[in-house]
Every structure is written in C-alpha cells, then in structure tokens.
Amino acid sequence: MPELVLELNGRTWTLDPSRPYTLGRDPQGDVVVDDARVSWRHATISWSGRGWVLEDKGSTNGTFVQGQRVHHVEIGPGTAVHLGNATDGPRLTVSGAAASVATPQAQPQQQPYAAQSAGPGWAQQAPPQQASQQPAPQPQASQGQPAWPQPQQAAPQIPQQQNPGGGAGAPPVYGDRSPTTFHQFSIGRVMRIGRALENELVVSDLQVSRHHAEFHSTPDGRMEIRDLGSHNGTYVNGQPIAKGGSALLGPHDIVGVGHSTFRIVGDRLEEFVDTGEVSFSARHLTVTVDGGKQILKDVSFGVPEKSLIAVIGPSGSGKSTLLKALTGYRPANQGDVLYDNRNLYKQFAELRQRIGLVPQDDILHKELTVKKALKYAAKLRFPADTTAAEREARIDEVLRELKLDIHKEKKVTSLSGGQRKRVSVALELLTKPSLIFLDEPTSGLDPGMDRDVMQLLRGLADDGRTVLVVTHSVAELALCDKLLVMAPGGAVAYFGPPEEALNFFGYDTWADVFSAFENYRDYDWAGRWKGSQHYQMYAADIDAVAPQSVQMPPMQAMKPPKPQGWMSQFGTLVWRYVSVIASDKGFLALTVILPLVLGSVSLLIDSGKDLLVNTEINPTTQQPVPNGTATTVLLILAVGACFAGAANSVRELIKERVIYERERATGLSRSAYLMSKVFVLGLITILQGLMVGVIGFASRTVPDKGVVLGNAVLLELCLPIMALGFTSMMFGLIISALVKTSEKTMPLLVMFAIVQVVFTGCLFALNGAIGVNQFSYLMPSRWAVGAAGATLDFNRIAPPGKGKPDDPLWAHTAGAWTLDMVALIVLGVICAFFVARFLRRHEPEVMRK
C-alpha cells in the first residue's frame, strides 16, 4: 500500500493508506485549501484496496481532472486536480511511487441541459451517459399545451454498502469517521464516565452528568455498562437503559452518553465525539393521511456534513410535513431518516439531544430579557447537577457567537425580527446540536433582515454544523450548499446546487418556476427529476436503497429520560412563569382591577337590604316576600368569579404552544408544565375570588354562624366564590388547549360565562326540571351558588316557588355545603385530566405513550 504525496501552493502532504483524508476550507480538515471557490468539505482521498481514489463530496463548484468535472476517480503520480474551477482553481499535484495505481480516467460529470427552443421554457433532457442510447420520443402536444420532455429512467448503480469502523457484520454507525480517542481497557478494571474530574473518562459535555455511567467486566469476561443515575440517560444502540440499571454489551453494541458514543473493540474502548461531522439523509419518505392520500411522496436526499440546505416549494408541496418527518415530530409512514447512519425514529430518545429545531414562531417568552430567557431554557435542558456558573458560561459563549451579548439585558419584545430569530437560534445552540432545522426563519422580515438571517445560518454551517432551512424566500439561495425543491403533492422536483436549479427548470426566475408548478400540477415532476442527469449526480446513491416501513421499538422504550427531576422542572417553570407575569405590567394591573370592578358591581344592588331575613310581608298572604336581593347579588358575584377565572387562563396554553412543543421534545414533563400553570394561575384566581367575595359580602348583613366554619361566616361565603374561580380557570385551560388560534378563545370565553349565568339556579328553579337539572351538575356555578346558598339558607329566604320542592344543594346543613364544595373540586380535577390529554396532541408523535 504505497504512500501518496500531495503538493499545493508549495505545501506538501504525505498520505498514509490506513485512513481517509479530507480536502476543503474546514480548518479541522486534513488538507486545508483557503479559497472561496472550495467548499467547506470539498472532497476526500482514500486507499480503495487497489489504488488511491478521490471522491467529490457534493462540492458547490466541483472537482476537475483533465478539465472535466469528476465525482469519483482514481488518481496516481502525475495526476493534476483542480478544485472549484477547471482552469484557475487551486491546483493539487499528485506524486509518489504507486505502481499498482491504474492510469487515471476521470468520469466527466454531465453538463446542465440546454434550454429547448419550443415549449414553456423547459430544459431539454439529455439521455444518460450511454452513448448508444437514443432519447425517448416526445409525446404529441395537444392543442394549447407544450410538448413535455419524456424523463429518461436510467437504472442507477446500487452502491456497495461500506462497513467502516468495524468488523464483519458491524453496523455502519459512523460513516467514514475514525474514532476521536482510544482508551485502553483491562479486564477487571472499572472505567467511570462523567463531567467530574475524578472520573477515569472525563467528558466535557453539559449534557452528561457529573457521574454518568461506568464500564466494567462481568465474572464471565463479558463487558457491561451501568448507568449511575444519570439525568439525560445512558443508551445502548439508541435505546435508554433504566436509570441506575445496566446492560451487557455485545461486540458491536454502541453506547451513547451525551454527544459521545463508545464501542468496545477487544481490550480497547473507542470514543466518537459528535462535533458536527455527521451525515444526514432521508430515504424514500412517504407520509399518508386518513383516506390514503399521500402528502409526501418518496422523498430521498442526502445532506453533506457541515452544509447549509434550503427547502423551497409552493404551498401544498409538503415542506412542513417533510420538516416534521425529518425531526421525528411526525414520523413518515414509510422510509428512514438517518443521522450519521443511525435511524432517527428508532433511536429518537438519544438523538433528539443532538438536533435543534427553530419553529416559525419564536420559542421564547417575549416578556423576558434575552439572558433571562436563555437562563430558564438552560436550566430546563441541562442536567440537574450542572451549576449556575456552568450554565452561565455556556449562555455567554452562545451570546458571543451570535453577537447578541450587547442585547442580553434587553427584553425580547424590544428586539427586531432578525434579532429575535437569532435569540431563538441561540436557545437551540445551548446544547450544541450538530443538526439544526429552521422553519421559515425569514417569514415577515424585510430583505435586509432576510439576508442577515441567511448569513447567520451560513456561518453556523461554516462553524461545523449542518443546517436545513425551510423557506419561501429565494433571494439568498446562493449562500446554500444544496437546494431541495418540492413540487405540488409532496414530491422532489430538484436536489442539487442552487446555482444550477433555474437552468434545470429552464426558467430565468423562481416566480416562473412556481407559476409552472401551479399551471401544470398534474405533470410528473418527480419522474422528470429522476430521469435527469442531476439526479444521477446528486441523489441516485441515496435513492438506490429500497424503502422500508418504519418499525418502531416498543413505546415504553421510547420514553426518553428527563434532564431534570419533576420537582426541579416544576420549580423552574413556576419561577419562569412568575417572571413572565411580573414583567407584564398590563396583566398585573388587570389582575387587580378586574376583581375590584366585578365585586363593586354587586354593591349597586339594593345596598340597604340584608341577605339573611325577609323584611317585607305580603299583606294578602301575610307571608314573607322572597328576598330577591340575595339571589341577585350571588348571581353577580358568581358570574364575576367565573369570568375572571376563565379569562386568566383562556390564552395561556395557546400562546405558549410552540414553546411547549419544543420543550416537550427536549424532555419537559407534561404534568410539571401543567401543574406550574395550575399553581400560579390558581393562586392568582383564588386571591381574585377572595377580593370579589369580600367586596360583595362584607358590607351586607350575613348570618351569625355558618354551617361549617361557625363564626367565620364571611370566609365560608367567600370559599365557594374562590373555588368557583379556580374551577373556571381549569375550564379556561381546556379551551386554551383545544383551540388552534388565540382569536378563537374570546367567543368561547363569552359563551362559557353566559352558560354559567343560566345554570346558577338564581334565574329559575333547577331542582325538579328533568334533564336540565342533571345537565346543570356539569356547571361549576351551580355548585358554587349551592354552597353559598346553603350558608344563607336560600330555601327559606328565596324559596324555589309555590309547589316546587326545595333544592337539596341549598339545604342549610354542613353536608350540603361540603357536597357542593367537593363537587367543585372534582370538576376541577376532571378538567385537569382533559387538559393533560389535549396537551398530548401537541407533542412529537414519536414520544406519545
């Protein structure tokens, strides 16, 4: 196996056949070429077993040998390679003794098609490379329609599946990467992994616990991995092992700890650190919805590492569906998503930590300052044993990287649209993801901000991450390494360099291309793409793999570990929510003013009358006249408590839906999130109910004694109003979890308040009304008025009417009062159950239990 010598601009490199070498602008590469025409990771050179091979890695400007663009070619002494340009690109000279190397023969890459003279601007398709093959005859055009080019269906060569980094049968887990580090492992030795310096294997990754896991050998000589109660979990082949549990390891098992993976080979422990040099590909993704309609059709493409990829297409082309399939939010019905040759769907619990997602809407609370928003996000995402200093250092590092350090004390709402998008990206970068997805990051931005955001993404890719952005903007596509164009119906119309895309479609502008998509929706865009030369160059290898139905592991194995314990998450969420409320001065003012106004309205009702006795006597019947003041006042107080409680919560879940979806995917507990809302809003609502009750009852005559609390009559009357506000707040959360937009909450809030008025029992007698009375038991106002009515003895001072039975909920007994209050609490618990179920619909589908 002879060595090879490369020479470029006076520098030389001697290549050893034992490993591959990378060429490009990446400072971490083996052969660094500082030229703007050269891609970040331009090409690789490796020993194939019989000769040295140069392989272009999807570079933007190409690799040339003897003036011809090549994709895969054997090289030897005397070969001259030009990078980025066939004539004046950086010239790489090959020398060294290589007797076994065959004469270099470049496989020229086919040129883009020339536009045909007739038709609607389409490019005439050239036949595949076989010289003897003739173009297929074109179909006759009907009157008024163009003559469409017939796609040439060339059978792609299925590539040989490599098995790098392992012996026979080993899974191709790491592409062409070599281990980052080797550790010698002796029998009987225990090797502990963690962040703390006292570990045998120190991993400087905030996703890893201080004492995370340990390797040790069993008495029969086998190796075992044991979790040490880690927060983010220890994984074997992508599946989490039980917290504090252990698993025996086979010869090819992969152990995942944070951003590192380990494999035991003989007496050596190989460590692979995910620094961003990972491949990503989609293979035959198909999504079918109810009714059998396909909204994503056989989508395949491969993403080079450290690259920027844009996804464009008209409305209805499946871009959002594709993004959900690529991130695991909604797995495809067929096909695979491979992260570094690892199945994302089957290993989502581990790989989710390495993928960042920036939705179209901001994933942060706009009322907080930039640094405070990142502080709470870091506390939720990092393990519980990370210190405040460690989190602070990581936040400052990200802020400096994105040039946000000068804005860190500003409220998010005061930033420009482009700056807010930078903060959303900063939030995702906290955990150092290798792969970042963005959905419409430039939506609503002016052209200047559009360019700034795309340049930011270009910088993220150049710094060693793979970035995929779904966008409607086509102004800055030249910054991207690859472009994926989706056609109507969810099929791929093009994948390749962005500068060749318009030539491929035969148009001068993207507006013309999108108009063609709309005007010819029934045309086989996918067939045209697969019959093209571009397909052979950029997608045939990926597409050659047969599609597979997604076989998910058992759902209990998909439940990912949580980086924080339940109480820790609950405490962080409560403090964050309190900070958000405290920073919203308008909400704070409304929280105080609303109960004051609602309670004061009741003072306008016959303020001179008391609530207990009937002071008027009917002269004809000589019977007390029913006291209408009591029921009217109680009706107003009850409706006020209902409205205030529901108004507090009716928008809380819908306005944070995007934040919840993203945080849930990173390990947020659903119950901790819900209980943080219930706790904070419940306290606010109960205090409001107390204010309403005190204002409404304190200025009026009340009984000397209550039926339960004795002399504390005022408190006994206020408790039902407070409980009514709390239960109404829970109904508001149901509304907020159900609606799709904030605008739909107000009509439902008004409807809820009106229904409560009807079913209080103050307007007409409910007891004895078949059906209506039973339905009223579902209304919290019915039970709250019942409890207060039991204290005031409504059956005596405001009887239901002649011939109508007394209402048992108004009975002047401790049992009736207790039943009413228990029913109110039960309604609130039932509401909490339904809110949790409705929240489940807004979680990544792969995580649902």
Side-chain angles (χ1 to χ4, degrees), residues 718-789:
C718 290
L719 283 176
I721 304 300
M722 296 158 65
L724 174 59
F726 180 86
T727 305
S728 298
M729 180 269 294
M730 298 302 299
F731 272 90
L733 288 178
I734 288 183
I735 296 174
S736 191
L738 281 174
V739 297
K740 294 184 178 181
T741 62
S742 296
E743 289 75 16
K744 295 180 180 179
T745 58
M746 286 300 103
L748 293 174
L749 172 62
V750 173
M751 184 178 69
F752 171 76
I754 292 175
V755 170
Q756 299 310 306
V757 172
V758 175
F759 290 99
T760 56
C762 296
L763 298 180
F764 58 91
L766 292 173
N767 187 40
I770 304 301
V772 176
N773 187 38
Q774 284 71 26
F775 182 75
S776 72
Y777 293 157
L778 299 176
M779 304 298 151
S781 62
R782 174 78 164 105
W783 299 99
V785 171

Side-chain angles (χ1 to χ4, degrees), residues 74-282:
E74 291 187 353
I75 60 175
T79 304
V81 180
H82 284 85
L83 305 178
N85 188 282
T87 56
D88 62 350
R91 187 173 186 269
L92 197 67
T93 303
V94 182
S95 61
S100 62
V101 178
T103 302
Q105 294 182 348
Q107 298 177 352
Q109 190 173 31
Q110 299 165 2
Q111 300 300 316
Y113 333 116
Q116 67 185 55
S117 58
W122 302 110
Q124 176 65 40
Q125 303 235 10
Q129 287 187 341
Q130 291 87 342
S132 61
Q133 186 172 349
Q134 299 296 322
Q138 303 298 322
Q140 296 294 324
S142 60
Q143 186 175 3
Q145 293 294 326
W148 297 98
Q150 179 70 21
Q152 299 294 320
Q153 298 295 340
Q157 295 295 318
I158 299 178
Q160 294 295 321
Q161 293 298 313
Q162 301 297 322
N163 193 17
V173 195
Y174 301 113
D176 59 356
R177 286 193 291 137
S178 299
T180 307
T181 311
F182 298 100
H183 305 278
Q184 205 64 29
F185 196 91
S186 58
I187 301 300
R189 178 185 174 191
V190 174
M191 182 175 288
R192 189 164 50 180
I193 308 170
R195 284 197 340 270
L197 296 178
E198 60 265 24
N199 292 289
E200 287 79 10
L201 204 162
V202 179
V203 180
S204 57
D205 179 359
L206 291 184
Q207 295 287 80
V208 177
S209 298
R210 293 183 60 80
H211 301 96
H212 197 103
E214 64 182 18
F215 289 98
H216 64 93
S217 58
T218 61
D220 58 359
R222 300 182 64 183
M223 300 306 300
E224 186 178 47
I225 180 69
R226 179 178 299 164
D227 184 83
L228 299 178
S230 65
H231 297 279
N232 274 327
T234 305
Y235 301 83
V236 175
N237 299 325
Q239 301 303 310
I241 63 177
K243 193 168 185 176
S246 61
L248 289 173
L249 301 177
H252 306 303
D253 286 337
I254 305 301
V255 176
V257 174
H259 286 83
S260 299
T261 44
F262 302 88
R263 180 168 53 190
I264 295 177
V265 180
D267 61 349
R268 188 173 65 177
L269 181 66
E270 297 181 346
E271 179 183 4
F272 297 78
V273 180
D274 184 348
T275 58
E277 296 180 353
V278 296
S279 61
F280 183 79
S281 63

